[in-house]
Amino acid sequence: MNPFNQFRIDGQAIPFTPGQTIMDAALAAGVYIPHLCHNPELAPHGSCRVCVVRAGGRLVSSCTAPAAAGLEVESATPDIQASRRTILQLLFVEGNHICPACQKTGACQLQAVAYYTGMLAPHFTHFFPRRDLDASHPDFVIDFNRCILCELCVRASRDLDGKDVFAISGRGIASKLVIESPTGRLGDSRFSADDRAAHVCPVGAILPKRGGYSVPIGQRLYDRAPISTVGDVAANAGRTTP
Ligand code: SF4
Ligand code: FES
């Protein structure tokens, strides 16, 4: 391995090519760094902060920070896992994530990353926001209670589907996912089941109708193996019918 094109994560040498981020290089080398808003097919977003690492002594999001020769990166250390756990706990209480009642349980990245970080309870007080459910589309349903505002569907619809079906409206705690259609409902938008945006949601917010339980609970992707060994739901599409 060329020492000028490598850095270390928790002591392990990771090769990289110029222009790669720490996340890109780590995943290519088979080293898992938890993430929710990252998808290698889409431009980095840097919003969920679950991918935080300490690089050269500074906390950075690994999906946006460039890899650099000689960089020493800490990822799976107890303090960084604790930071990620806090972020996840906040995400859980901001929405209504009732895992046992969710069609996506066992194939949900939020749930799987929470397990990876050792999260056992939400810790913070639940907001219990009142949010809608949109079942107007013939093939998909959107449950806004579970949206974590990662903007993967926004980016996929815009950059891969060329449709701009989704957008984020509002600021701060008032931020919410909105649908571009005359009524604001999915059924009146240009969204279709074969859009890439239909298959990138890391949680149970954008869900196919029918067949939701064709893979029984207990036999789903993250029921069988931890996310650190099998990766994203989107990367496993077809194996992970939620
Ligand atoms: Fe992310 Fe899913 Fe919400 Fe879209 S619906 S912003 S993909 S969590
Ligand atoms: Fe890096 Fe979300 S995966 S900030």
Side-chain angles (χ1 to χ4, degrees):
M1 196 183 293
N2 179 348
F4 297 109
N5 279 336
Q6 64 173 274
F7 63 100
R8 290 182 181 276
I9 298 181
D10 297 331
Q12 179 177 339
I14 308 289
F16 73 98
T17 52
Q20 273 189 315
T21 61
I22 293 171
M23 173 74 75
D24 292 335
L27 294 181
V31 173
Y32 177 71
I33 298 176
H35 51 273
L36 291 172
C37 72
H38 173 73
N39 180 313
E41 289 186 75
L42 296 163
H45 197 240
S47 60
C48 77
R49 314 307 283 185
V50 165
C51 69
V52 64
V53 294
R54 186 175 289 108
R58 288 192 313 125
L59 292 176
V60 297
S61 57
S62 57
C63 69
T64 56
L71 198 59
E72 291 290 341
V73 177
E74 293 172 34
S75 178
T77 59
D79 65 324
I80 291 172
Q81 289 289 62
S83 298
R84 294 168 177 159
R85 205 157 48 236
T86 301
I87 292 166
L88 290 159
Q89 287 168 325
L90 289 166
L91 284 173
F92 268 89
V93 302
E94 280 172 10
N96 295 312
H97 300 277
I98 318 296
C99 296
C102 179
Q103 178 178 320
K104 189 105 171 198
T105 186
C108 169
Q109 255 176 268
L110 178 66
Q111 184 188 48
V113 173
Y115 280 132
Y116 170 79
T117 63
M119 180 184 146
L120 297 175
H123 179 74
F124 300 107
T125 304
H126 281 280
F127 282 23
F128 291 129
R130 293 182 69 89
R131 295 197 189 143
D132 290 339
L133 189 147
D134 179 348
S136 59
H137 194 276
D139 300 317
F140 272 78
V141 61
I142 295 197
D143 188 339
F144 294 96
N145 289 287
R146 302 175 187 145
C147 177
I148 58 169
L149 302 174
C150 68
E151 296 196 33
L152 279 170
C153 60
V154 176
R155 286 175 281 157
S157 184
R158 181 189 62 215
D159 301 338
L160 302 179
D161 302 328
K163 288 190 176 178
D164 278 322
V165 168
F166 300 102
I168 301 293
S169 146
R171 298 176 70 85
I173 195 66
S175 300
K176 61 177 184 178
L177 183 70
V178 293
I179 295 162
E180 178 55 46
S181 78
T183 59
R185 293 171 70 77
L186 193 66
D188 299 317
S189 75
R190 295 198 294 152
F191 182 84
S192 84
D194 52 9
D195 284 356
R196 296 301 310 281
H199 305 282
V200 294
C201 183
V203 295
I206 301 180
L207 288 169
K209 290 182 175 177
R210 300 172 295 278
Y213 290 89
S214 57
V215 178
I217 292 171
Q219 296 175 28
R220 299 173 177 191
L221 184 66
Y222 304 130
D223 293 329
R224 289 180 276 117
I227 192 167
S228 54
T229 63
V230 292
D232 297 2
V233 169
N236 284 279
R239 293 176 51 198
T240 59
T241 306

